[in-house]
Amino acid sequence: MDETTESMTIANRGDFAIWAIERAKAIVAEQGGNLAVATRDHGDEEIATSANALGQAIVDALLEVFDGLTEP
């Protein structure tokens, strides 16, 4: 995932929805693409690695927003 992070203030449900949609697009574009290539071109180990990376990217995104919500 791209390590440059853009800050965004989430003040309401609409802001959160916009953030979630944009993060989901970025995650699917990178990690979903990697999983598709692994499924097509590689064995079970590479598929599992790519699937785990997709799951971890989702967890990281959720923790990112949660940490932002809990800061004073």
Side-chain angles (χ1 to χ4, degrees), residues 2 13 15 20 24-25 28 32-33 41-42 50 53-55 59 68 72:
D2 188 286
R13 291 175 68 100
D15 291 345
K25 283 182 190 176
V28 169
D41 295 338
H42 302 286
S50 294
L54 174 58
V59 168

Side-chain angles (χ1 to χ4, degrees), residues 1 8 10 12-30 58 61-62 64-65:
M1 194 116 303
M8 175 182 178
I10 297 175
N12 56 51
R13 291 175 68 100
D15 291 345
F16 179 76
I18 291 169
W19 173 88
I21 290 166
E22 292 305 314
R23 287 292 286 164
K25 283 182 190 176
I27 290 168
V28 169
E30 182 174 341
I58 293 167
L62 292 172
E64 175 186 321
V65 76

Side-chain angles (χ1 to χ4, degrees), residues 3-71:
E3 293 301 321
T4 57
T5 308
E6 187 174 317
S7 181
M8 175 182 178
T9 300
I10 297 175
N12 56 51
R13 291 175 68 100
D15 291 345
F16 179 76
I18 291 169
W19 173 88
I21 290 166
E22 292 305 314
R23 287 292 286 164
K25 283 182 190 176
I27 290 168
V28 169
E30 182 174 341
Q31 301 299 333
N34 292 344
L35 180 57
V37 169
T39 301
R40 184 188 67 203
D41 295 338
H42 302 286
D44 290 342
E45 187 174 323
E46 184 67 28
I47 293 168
T49 299
S50 294
N52 286 335
L54 174 58
Q56 188 62 54
I58 293 167
V59 168
D60 291 346
L62 292 172
L63 289 174
E64 175 186 321
V65 76
F66 179 77
D67 288 346
L69 293 174
T70 60
E71 290 179 2

